[in-house]
């Protein structure tokens, strides 16, 4: 049986996944991290918890937080980020600018790629940096 919580794919298998596919997974990884962060910090309860999660996962928030980690990315990670940013997206939500949506897609692509490489520690390190401003307010 495969352990999809702890999956690790090699380079060839990762390259075969489209940037949209990586972003699809990365979206779920990011959302799980946000939900865990909100619960761990007691930020909200009930309906407020959902609103707080939506606020943190929307494209504008992802784009802004993603910019915090850009200087810390390796060349390989930057290449994956750019691959996601250059993905061909057909629709952009009304609540997001095209620029923010592409930056959010890039971040999700990176998180999906890191997850499939088995780099949980790296994901956690980058996510913690992205959330630092809010940690100090907690």
């Amino acid at each position: 049986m495969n352990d999809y919580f702890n999956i690790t794919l090699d380079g060839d298998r990762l390259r075969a996944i489209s940037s949209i596919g990586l972003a699809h997974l990365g979206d779920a990884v990011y959302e799980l991290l946000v939900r865990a962060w909100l619960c761990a910090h007691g930020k909200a309860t009930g309906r407020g918890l959902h609103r707080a999660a939506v606020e943190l996962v929307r494209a504008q928030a992802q784009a802004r937080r993603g910019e915090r980690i850009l200087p810390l990315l390796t060349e390989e990670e930057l290449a994956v980020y750019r691959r996601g940013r250059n993905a061909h997206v057909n629709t952009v939500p009304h609540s997001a600018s095209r620029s923010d949506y592409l930056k959010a897609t890039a971040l999700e692509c990176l998180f999906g790629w890191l997850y499939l490489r088995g780099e949980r520690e790296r994901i956690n390190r980058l996510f913690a940096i992205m959330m630092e401003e809010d940690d100090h307010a907690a």
Side-chain angles (χ1 to χ4, degrees):
M1 178 174 94
N2 288 324
D3 179 0
Y4 291 106
F5 277 113
N6 296 298
I7 193 167
T8 302
L9 300 182
D10 63 29
D12 288 338
R13 290 177 66 191
L14 275 169
R15 282 185 289 279
I17 301 170
S18 72
S19 54
I20 296 298
L22 292 173
H24 179 73
L25 176 60
D27 176 58
V29 171
Y30 187 77
E31 174 114 12
L32 180 61
L33 290 168
V34 163
R35 288 177 179 217
W37 185 88
L38 286 169
C39 288
H41 286 84
K43 291 288 187 178
T45 57
R47 194 170 27 179
L49 185 58
H50 174 72
R51 285 189 193 129
V54 168
E55 185 64 28
L56 289 170
V57 300
R58 65 189 179 93
Q60 184 181 15
Q62 282 187 11
R64 183 174 51 84
R65 290 173 190 284
E67 288 177 355
R68 294 180 189 171
I69 63 169
L70 284 179
L72 307 173
L73 299 182
T74 66
E75 285 300 316
E76 190 174 23
E77 291 167 345
L78 275 171
V80 172
Y81 180 91
R82 284 190 295 269
R83 181 178 161 197
R85 190 185 60 213
N86 295 329
H88 297 288
V89 294
N90 295 323
T91 59
V92 175
H94 295 294
S95 61
S97 71
R98 183 165 189 80
S99 173
D100 282 349
Y101 190 72
L102 291 175
K103 288 176 186 177
T105 301
L107 178 65
E108 292 168 351
C109 185
L110 174 64
F111 272 40
W113 181 80
L114 287 169
Y115 180 83
L116 289 174
R117 284 175 54 113
E119 295 192 34
R120 308 303 183 276
E121 187 176 317
R122 180 65 172 158
I123 293 169
N124 276 313
R125 189 175 311 120
L126 294 173
F127 183 76
I129 292 164
M130 292 169 63
M131 301 304 286
E132 276 178 356
E133 170 185 294
D134 295 302
D135 267 343
H136 298 303

Coordinates of all heavy atoms in Angstrom, one line a residue, residues 18-101:
S18 N 2.2 18.3 -14.6 CA 2.0 19.6 -15.1 C 2.1 20.6 -13.9 O 1.9 20.3 -12.8 CB 0.6 19.8 -15.8 OG -0.4 19.8 -14.8
S19 N 2.4 21.9 -14.3 CA 2.5 22.9 -13.2 C 1.1 23.1 -12.6 O 1.0 23.3 -11.4 CB 3.0 24.2 -13.8 OG 2.2 24.6 -14.9
I20 N 0.0 22.9 -13.4 CA -1.3 23.0 -12.8 C -1.6 21.8 -11.9 O -2.2 22.0 -10.8 CB -2.4 23.1 -13.9 CG1 -2.2 24.3 -14.8 CG2 -3.8 23.0 -13.4 CD1 -2.4 25.6 -14.0
G21 N -1.1 20.7 -12.2 CA -1.2 19.5 -11.3 C -0.5 19.7 -10.0 O -1.0 19.4 -8.9
L22 N 0.7 20.3 -10.1 CA 1.5 20.6 -8.9 C 0.8 21.6 -8.0 O 0.7 21.5 -6.8 CB 2.9 21.1 -9.2 CG 3.8 20.0 -9.8 CD1 5.1 20.7 -10.3 CD2 4.1 18.9 -8.8
A23 N 0.2 22.7 -8.7 CA -0.5 23.7 -8.0 C -1.8 23.2 -7.3 O -2.1 23.6 -6.2 CB -0.8 24.9 -8.9
H24 N -2.4 22.2 -8.0 CA -3.6 21.6 -7.4 C -3.3 21.0 -6.1 O -4.0 21.2 -5.1 CB -4.2 20.6 -8.4 CG -5.4 19.9 -8.0 ND1 -6.6 20.5 -7.9 CD2 -5.6 18.6 -7.6 CE1 -7.5 19.6 -7.4 NE2 -6.9 18.5 -7.3
L25 N -2.2 20.2 -6.1 CA -1.8 19.6 -4.8 C -1.3 20.6 -3.8 O -1.6 20.6 -2.6 CB -0.7 18.5 -5.1 CG -0.1 17.9 -3.9 CD1 -1.2 17.1 -3.1 CD2 1.0 16.9 -4.3
G26 N -0.5 21.6 -4.3 CA 0.0 22.6 -3.4 C -1.0 23.4 -2.8 O -0.9 23.9 -1.6
D27 N -2.1 23.6 -3.5 CA -3.3 24.4 -2.9 C -3.8 23.6 -1.6 O -4.0 24.3 -0.6 CB -4.4 24.5 -3.9 CG -5.6 25.2 -3.4 OD1 -5.5 26.3 -2.9 OD2 -6.7 24.5 -3.5
A28 N -3.9 22.3 -1.7 CA -4.3 21.5 -0.6 C -3.3 21.5 0.5 O -3.7 21.6 1.7 CB -4.6 20.1 -1.0
V29 N -2.0 21.4 0.2 CA -1.0 21.5 1.2 C -1.0 22.8 1.9 O -1.0 22.8 3.2 CB 0.4 21.2 0.6 CG1 1.5 21.5 1.6 CG2 0.5 19.8 0.0
Y30 N -1.1 23.9 1.2 CA -1.1 25.2 1.8 C -2.4 25.4 2.7 O -2.3 25.9 3.8 CB -1.1 26.3 0.7 CG -1.0 27.7 1.3 CD1 0.3 28.2 1.7 CD2 -2.1 28.5 1.3 CE1 0.4 29.4 2.2 CE2 -1.9 29.8 1.8 CZ -0.7 30.3 2.3 OH -0.6 31.5 2.8
E31 N -3.5 25.0 2.2 CA -4.8 25.1 3.0 C -4.7 24.3 4.3 O -5.1 24.7 5.3 CB -6.0 24.6 2.1 CG -7.2 24.5 2.9 CD -8.3 25.5 2.5 OE1 -8.2 26.1 1.4 OE2 -9.3 25.7 3.2
L32 N -4.1 23.1 4.2 CA -3.9 22.3 5.4 C -3.0 23.0 6.4 O -3.3 23.0 7.6 CB -3.4 20.9 5.1 CG -3.2 19.9 6.2 CD1 -4.5 19.6 7.0 CD2 -2.5 18.6 5.7
L33 N -1.9 23.6 5.9 CA -1.0 24.3 6.8 C -1.7 25.5 7.5 O -1.6 25.7 8.7 CB 0.2 24.8 6.0 CG 1.2 23.7 5.6 CD1 2.1 24.2 4.6 CD2 1.9 23.1 6.8
V34 N -2.5 26.2 6.7 CA -3.2 27.4 7.2 C -4.2 26.9 8.3 O -4.3 27.5 9.3 CB -3.9 28.2 6.1 CG1 -5.0 29.1 6.6 CG2 -2.9 28.9 5.2
R35 N -5.0 25.9 8.0 CA -6.0 25.4 8.9 C -5.3 25.0 10.2 O -5.8 25.2 11.3 CB -6.8 24.3 8.3 CG -7.8 24.8 7.3 CD -8.6 23.7 6.7 NE -9.5 24.2 5.7 CZ -10.7 23.7 5.5 NH1 -11.1 22.6 6.2 NH2 -11.5 24.2 4.5
A36 N -4.2 24.2 10.1 CA -3.5 23.8 11.3 C -2.9 25.0 12.1 O -3.0 25.0 13.3 CB -2.3 22.9 10.9
W37 N -2.4 26.0 11.4 CA -1.8 27.2 12.0 C -3.0 27.9 12.7 O -2.8 28.4 13.9 CB -1.2 28.1 10.9 CG -0.5 29.3 11.5 CD1 0.8 29.4 11.9 CD2 -1.1 30.6 11.6 NE1 1.0 30.7 12.3 CE2 -0.1 31.4 12.2 CE3 -2.4 31.1 11.4 CZ2 -0.3 32.8 12.5 CZ3 -2.6 32.5 11.7 CH2 -1.6 33.3 12.2
L38 N -4.1 28.1 12.1 CA -5.2 28.8 12.8 C -5.7 28.0 14.1 O -5.9 28.6 15.1 CB -6.4 28.9 11.8 CG -6.3 29.9 10.7 CD1 -7.4 29.8 9.7 CD2 -6.2 31.3 11.3
C39 N -5.8 26.7 14.0 CA -6.2 25.9 15.2 C -5.1 26.0 16.3 O -5.4 26.2 17.4 CB -6.4 24.5 14.8 SG -7.9 24.2 13.8
A40 N -3.8 25.9 15.9 CA -2.8 26.0 16.9 C -2.6 27.3 17.5 O -2.2 27.4 18.7 CB -1.4 25.6 16.2
H41 N -3.0 28.4 16.8 CA -2.9 29.7 17.4 C -4.2 30.2 18.0 O -4.3 31.4 18.4 CB -2.4 30.7 16.3 CG -1.0 30.5 16.0 ND1 -0.5 29.6 15.2 CD2 0.1 31.1 16.5 CE1 0.8 29.6 15.1 NE2 1.2 30.6 15.9
G42 N -5.3 29.4 18.0 CA -6.6 29.8 18.5 C -7.1 31.1 17.9 O -7.7 31.9 18.6
K43 N -6.9 31.2 16.6 CA -7.2 32.5 16.0 C -8.7 32.7 15.8 O -9.2 33.8 15.8 CB -6.6 32.5 14.6 CG -5.1 32.7 14.6 CD -4.7 34.1 15.0 CE -3.3 34.4 14.9 NZ -2.9 35.7 15.3
A44 N -9.4 31.6 15.7 CA -10.9 31.8 15.4 C -11.6 30.5 15.7 O -11.0 29.4 15.8 CB -11.1 32.1 14.0
T45 N -12.9 30.6 15.9 CA -13.7 29.4 16.1 C -14.9 29.4 15.3 O -15.3 30.5 14.8 CB -14.1 29.3 17.6 OG1 -14.8 30.5 17.9 CG2 -12.9 29.1 18.5
G46 N -15.5 28.3 15.0 CA -16.8 28.2 14.2 C -16.7 28.9 12.9 O -15.7 28.6 12.1
R47 N -17.7 29.7 12.6 CA -17.7 30.4 11.3 C -16.5 31.3 11.1 O -16.0 31.5 10.0 CB -19.0 31.2 11.2 CG -19.3 31.6 9.8 CD -20.7 32.1 9.6 NE -21.2 32.7 10.9 CZ -22.4 33.3 11.0 NH1 -23.2 33.3 10.0 NH2 -22.8 33.7 12.1
G48 N -16.0 31.9 12.2 CA -14.9 32.7 12.1 C -13.6 32.0 11.7 O -12.8 32.6 11.0
L49 N -13.6 30.7 12.0 CA -12.4 29.9 11.6 C -12.4 29.8 10.1 O -11.4 29.9 9.4 CB -12.5 28.5 12.2 CG -11.4 27.6 12.0 CD1 -10.0 28.2 12.4 CD2 -11.6 26.3 12.7
H50 N -13.6 29.5 9.5 CA -13.7 29.4 8.0 C -13.3 30.8 7.4 O -12.5 30.8 6.4 CB -15.1 29.0 7.6 CG -15.3 29.0 6.1 ND1 -14.7 28.1 5.3 CD2 -16.0 29.9 5.3 CE1 -15.1 28.4 4.0 NE2 -15.8 29.5 4.0
R51 N -13.8 31.9 7.9 CA -13.5 33.2 7.3 C -12.0 33.5 7.4 O -11.4 34.0 6.5 CB -14.3 34.3 8.1 CG -15.7 34.3 7.7 CD -16.4 35.5 8.2 NE -17.9 35.4 8.1 CZ -18.7 35.6 9.1 NH1 -18.3 35.9 10.3 NH2 -20.0 35.4 8.9
A52 N -11.4 33.1 8.5 CA -10.0 33.4 8.7 C -9.2 32.6 7.7 O -8.2 33.0 7.1 CB -9.6 33.1 10.1
A53 N -9.6 31.3 7.5 CA -8.9 30.5 6.5 C -9.0 31.0 5.1 O -8.0 31.1 4.4 CB -9.4 29.0 6.6
V54 N -10.2 31.4 4.8 CA -10.5 32.0 3.4 C -9.6 33.2 3.2 O -9.0 33.4 2.2 CB -12.0 32.3 3.2 CG1 -12.2 33.1 2.0 CG2 -12.7 31.0 3.1
E55 N -9.5 34.1 4.2 CA -8.7 35.3 4.1 C -7.2 35.0 3.9 O -6.6 35.6 3.1 CB -8.9 36.1 5.4 CG -8.2 37.4 5.4 CD -8.7 38.4 4.3 OE1 -9.9 38.3 4.0 OE2 -7.9 39.2 3.9
L56 N -6.7 33.9 4.5 CA -5.3 33.5 4.4 C -5.0 32.8 3.1 O -3.9 32.8 2.6 CB -4.8 32.7 5.6 CG -4.7 33.5 6.9 CD1 -4.5 32.6 8.0 CD2 -3.6 34.5 6.8
V57 N -6.0 32.1 2.5 CA -5.7 31.3 1.3 C -6.1 32.0 0.0 O -5.8 31.5 -1.1 CB -6.4 29.9 1.4 CG1 -5.9 29.1 2.5 CG2 -7.9 30.0 1.3
R58 N -6.7 33.2 0.1 CA -7.1 33.9 -1.1 C -5.8 34.3 -1.9 O -4.7 34.5 -1.3 CB -8.0 35.0 -0.9 CG -7.5 36.1 0.0 CD -8.6 37.1 0.3 NE -8.1 38.2 1.1 CZ -7.7 39.3 0.7 NH1 -7.8 39.6 -0.6 NH2 -7.2 40.2 1.5
A59 N -5.9 34.5 -3.2 CA -4.8 34.7 -4.0 C -3.9 35.9 -3.6 O -2.7 35.9 -3.5 CB -5.2 34.9 -5.5
Q60 N -4.6 37.0 -3.2 CA -3.9 38.2 -2.8 C -3.0 38.0 -1.6 O -1.8 38.4 -1.5 CB -4.8 39.4 -2.5 CG -4.1 40.7 -2.2 CD -5.1 41.8 -1.9 OE1 -6.3 41.6 -1.6 NE2 -4.6 43.0 -1.9
A61 N -3.5 37.2 -0.6 CA -2.8 36.9 0.6 C -1.6 36.0 0.3 O -0.5 36.1 0.8 CB -3.7 36.3 1.7
Q62 N -1.9 35.0 -0.5 CA -0.8 34.0 -0.9 C 0.3 34.7 -1.7 O 1.5 34.5 -1.4 CB -1.4 32.9 -1.8 CG -2.1 31.8 -1.0 CD -2.5 30.7 -1.9 OE1 -2.0 30.6 -3.1 NE2 -3.3 29.8 -1.4
A63 N -0.1 35.6 -2.6 CA 0.9 36.4 -3.4 C 1.8 37.2 -2.5 O 3.0 37.2 -2.6 CB 0.2 37.2 -4.4
R64 N 1.2 37.9 -1.5 CA 2.0 38.8 -0.6 C 2.9 37.9 0.3 O 4.1 38.3 0.4 CB 1.0 39.6 0.2 CG 1.7 40.6 1.2 CD 0.7 41.5 1.9 NE -0.4 40.8 2.6 CZ -0.3 40.2 3.8 NH1 0.8 40.3 4.5 NH2 -1.4 39.6 4.3
R65 N 2.4 36.9 0.8 CA 3.2 36.0 1.7 C 4.3 35.3 0.9 O 5.4 35.1 1.4 CB 2.3 35.1 2.5 CG 1.4 35.7 3.5 CD 0.4 34.7 4.1 NE -0.5 35.4 4.9 CZ -0.3 35.9 6.1 NH1 0.9 35.7 6.7 NH2 -1.2 36.5 6.8
G66 N 3.9 34.9 -0.3 CA 4.9 34.2 -1.1 C 6.1 35.0 -1.4 O 7.2 34.5 -1.5
E67 N 5.9 36.3 -1.6 CA 7.0 37.2 -1.9 C 8.0 37.3 -0.7 O 9.2 37.5 -1.0 CB 6.5 38.6 -2.2 CG 5.8 38.7 -3.6 CD 5.2 40.0 -3.9 OE1 5.2 41.0 -3.0 OE2 4.7 40.2 -5.0
R68 N 7.6 37.0 0.5 CA 8.5 37.0 1.6 C 9.6 35.9 1.5 O 10.7 36.1 2.0 CB 7.7 36.7 2.9 CG 6.8 37.8 3.3 CD 6.1 37.4 4.6 NE 5.0 38.3 4.9 CZ 4.1 38.2 5.8 NH1 4.1 37.1 6.6 NH2 3.2 39.1 6.0
I69 N 9.2 34.8 0.8 CA 10.2 33.7 0.8 C 11.0 33.7 -0.5 O 12.0 32.9 -0.6 CB 9.5 32.4 1.0 CG1 8.5 32.1 -0.1 CG2 8.8 32.3 2.4 CD1 7.9 30.7 -0.2
L70 N 10.7 34.5 -1.5 CA 11.4 34.4 -2.7 C 12.9 34.5 -2.6 O 13.7 33.8 -3.2 CB 10.9 35.5 -3.7 CG 9.5 35.2 -4.4 CD1 9.1 36.3 -5.3 CD2 9.6 33.9 -5.1
P71 N 13.4 35.5 -1.7 CA 14.9 35.6 -1.6 C 15.5 34.3 -1.0 O 16.7 34.2 -1.0 CB 15.1 36.8 -0.7 CG 13.8 37.5 -0.7 CD 12.7 36.5 -1.0
L72 N 14.7 33.5 -0.3 CA 15.3 32.3 0.4 C 15.3 31.0 -0.5 O 15.8 30.0 -0.1 CB 14.4 32.1 1.6 CG 14.3 33.3 2.6 CD1 13.3 32.9 3.7 CD2 15.7 33.7 3.1
L73 N 14.6 31.1 -1.7 CA 14.5 29.9 -2.5 C 15.8 29.6 -3.2 O 16.5 30.4 -3.6 CB 13.4 30.1 -3.5 CG 12.0 30.4 -3.0 CD1 11.0 30.5 -4.1 CD2 11.5 29.3 -2.0
T74 N 16.0 28.3 -3.4 CA 17.2 27.8 -4.1 C 16.9 28.0 -5.6 O 15.7 28.3 -6.0 CB 17.4 26.3 -3.9 OG1 16.3 25.6 -4.5 CG2 17.6 26.0 -2.4
E75 N 17.9 27.9 -6.5 CA 17.6 28.0 -7.9 C 16.6 27.0 -8.4 O 15.8 27.4 -9.3 CB 19.0 27.9 -8.7 CG 19.9 29.0 -8.6 CD 19.3 30.3 -9.1 OE1 18.7 30.3 -10.2 OE2 19.4 31.4 -8.4
E76 N 16.7 25.8 -7.9 CA 15.7 24.8 -8.4 C 14.3 25.2 -7.9 O 13.4 25.0 -8.7 CB 16.1 23.4 -7.8 CG 15.4 22.3 -8.4 CD 15.9 20.9 -7.9 OE1 16.5 20.8 -6.8 OE2 15.6 19.9 -8.6
E77 N 14.2 25.6 -6.7 CA 12.9 26.1 -6.2 C 12.3 27.3 -7.0 O 11.1 27.3 -7.3 CB 12.9 26.4 -4.7 CG 13.1 25.2 -3.8 CD 13.5 25.5 -2.4 OE1 13.9 26.7 -2.1 OE2 13.5 24.6 -1.6
L78 N 13.2 28.2 -7.3 CA 12.8 29.4 -8.1 C 12.3 28.9 -9.5 O 11.4 29.5 -10.0 CB 14.0 30.3 -8.2 CG 14.1 31.3 -7.1 CD1 15.4 32.1 -7.3 CD2 13.0 32.3 -7.0
A79 N 13.0 27.9 -10.1 CA 12.6 27.4 -11.4 C 11.2 26.8 -11.3 O 10.3 27.1 -12.2 CB 13.6 26.4 -11.9
V80 N 10.9 26.1 -10.2 CA 9.5 25.6 -10.0 C 8.5 26.7 -9.8 O 7.4 26.7 -10.4 CB 9.5 24.6 -8.9 CG1 8.1 24.1 -8.6 CG2 10.4 23.4 -9.2
Y81 N 8.9 27.7 -9.0 CA 8.0 28.8 -8.8 C 7.7 29.5 -10.1 O 6.5 29.8 -10.4 CB 8.7 29.8 -7.8 CG 7.9 31.0 -7.5 CD1 7.0 31.0 -6.4 CD2 8.0 32.2 -8.3 CE1 6.3 32.2 -6.1 CE2 7.3 33.3 -8.0 CZ 6.4 33.3 -6.9 OH 5.7 34.4 -6.6
R82 N 8.7 29.8 -10.9 CA 8.5 30.4 -12.2 C 7.6 29.6 -13.1 O 6.8 30.1 -13.9 CB 9.8 30.8 -12.9 CG 10.5 31.9 -12.3 CD 11.7 32.4 -13.1 NE 12.8 31.4 -13.2 CZ 13.8 31.3 -12.3 NH1 13.9 32.2 -11.3 NH2 14.7 30.4 -12.4
R83 N 7.8 28.3 -13.1 CA 7.0 27.4 -13.9 C 5.5 27.5 -13.5 O 4.7 27.6 -14.4 CB 7.5 25.9 -13.6 CG 6.8 24.9 -14.3 CD 7.4 23.5 -14.0 NE 6.5 22.4 -14.3 CZ 6.5 21.2 -13.9 NH1 7.5 20.9 -13.1 NH2 5.7 20.3 -14.2
G84 N 5.3 27.6 -12.2 CA 3.9 27.8 -11.8 C 3.3 29.2 -12.1 O 2.2 29.3 -12.5
R85 N 4.2 30.2 -12.0 CA 3.7 31.6 -12.4 C 3.4 31.7 -13.8 O 2.5 32.5 -14.2 CB 4.8 32.6 -12.0 CG 4.4 34.0 -12.1 CD 5.5 35.0 -11.8 NE 6.5 34.8 -12.8 CZ 7.8 34.9 -12.5 NH1 8.3 35.3 -11.4 NH2 8.7 34.7 -13.5
N86 N 4.1 30.9 -14.7 CA 3.9 30.9 -16.1 C 2.8 29.9 -16.6 O 2.7 29.8 -17.8 CB 5.2 30.7 -16.8 CG 6.2 31.8 -16.6 OD1 5.8 33.0 -16.3 ND2 7.5 31.5 -16.5
A87 N 2.2 29.3 -15.7 CA 1.1 28.3 -16.0 C 0.0 29.0 -16.8 O -0.3 30.1 -16.6 CB 0.6 27.6 -14.8
H88 N -0.5 28.2 -17.7 CA -1.6 28.7 -18.5 C -2.9 28.5 -17.8 O -3.5 27.4 -17.8 CB -1.7 28.0 -19.9 CG -0.5 28.3 -20.7 ND1 -0.2 29.6 -21.3 CD2 0.6 27.6 -21.0 CE1 0.9 29.5 -21.9 NE2 1.5 28.3 -21.8
V89 N -3.4 29.6 -17.1 CA -4.7 29.5 -16.4 C -5.7 30.1 -17.3 O -5.5 31.1 -17.9 CB -4.6 30.2 -15.0 CG1 -3.6 29.4 -14.1 CG2 -4.2 31.6 -15.1
N90 N -6.9 29.5 -17.3 CA -8.0 29.9 -18.2 C -8.9 31.0 -17.5 O -9.4 31.8 -18.2 CB -8.8 28.8 -18.7 CG -8.0 27.8 -19.6 OD1 -7.1 28.3 -20.3 ND2 -8.2 26.5 -19.4
T91 N -9.0 30.8 -16.2 CA -9.9 31.8 -15.5 C -9.2 32.3 -14.3 O -8.4 31.6 -13.6 CB -11.2 31.1 -15.1 OG1 -10.9 30.0 -14.3 CG2 -12.0 30.6 -16.3
V92 N -9.5 33.5 -13.9 CA -9.0 34.1 -12.7 C -10.2 34.6 -11.9 O -11.1 35.2 -12.5 CB -8.1 35.4 -13.1 CG1 -7.7 36.1 -11.8 CG2 -6.9 34.9 -13.9
P93 N -10.3 34.3 -10.6 CA -11.4 34.7 -9.8 C -11.6 36.2 -9.8 O -10.6 36.9 -9.9 CB -11.1 34.2 -8.4 CG -10.0 33.2 -8.6 CD -9.3 33.5 -9.9
H94 N -12.8 36.6 -9.7 CA -13.1 38.1 -9.8 C -12.5 38.8 -8.6 O -12.2 40.0 -8.7 CB -14.6 38.3 -9.7 CG -15.4 37.8 -10.9 ND1 -15.2 38.3 -12.2 CD2 -16.3 36.8 -11.1 CE1 -15.9 37.7 -13.0 NE2 -16.6 36.7 -12.4
S95 N -12.2 38.1 -7.5 CA -11.7 38.7 -6.3 C -10.1 38.9 -6.4 O -9.5 39.4 -5.5 CB -12.0 37.9 -5.1 OG -11.5 36.6 -5.2
A96 N -9.5 38.4 -7.5 CA -8.1 38.5 -7.6 C -7.6 39.1 -8.9 O -8.3 39.0 -9.9 CB -7.5 37.0 -7.6
S97 N -6.5 39.8 -8.8 CA -5.9 40.3 -10.0 C -5.2 39.2 -10.7 O -4.8 38.2 -10.1 CB -4.9 41.4 -9.7 OG -3.7 40.9 -9.1
R98 N -4.9 39.3 -12.0 CA -4.2 38.2 -12.7 C -2.8 38.0 -12.2 O -2.4 36.9 -12.0 CB -4.2 38.5 -14.2 CG -3.5 37.4 -15.0 CD -3.8 37.6 -16.5 NE -3.4 36.4 -17.3 CZ -4.0 35.3 -17.4 NH1 -5.2 35.1 -16.8 NH2 -3.5 34.3 -18.1
S99 N -2.2 39.1 -11.8 CA -0.8 39.0 -11.3 C -0.8 38.3 -9.9 O 0.0 37.4 -9.7 CB -0.3 40.4 -11.1 OG 0.9 40.4 -10.4
D100 N -1.7 38.6 -9.0 CA -1.8 37.9 -7.7 C -2.1 36.5 -7.9 O -1.6 35.6 -7.2 CB -2.8 38.6 -6.8 CG -2.2 39.8 -6.2 OD1 -1.0 40.1 -6.2 OD2 -3.1 40.6 -5.6
Y101 N -3.1 36.2 -8.8 CA -3.5 34.8 -9.1 C -2.3 34.0 -9.6 O -2.1 32.8 -9.1 CB -4.7 34.7 -10.0 CG -5.3 33.4 -10.1 CD1 -6.0 32.9 -9.1 CD2 -5.1 32.6 -11.2 CE1 -6.6 31.6 -9.1 CE2 -5.7 31.3 -11.3 CZ -6.4 30.8 -10.2 OH -7.0 29.6 -10.3

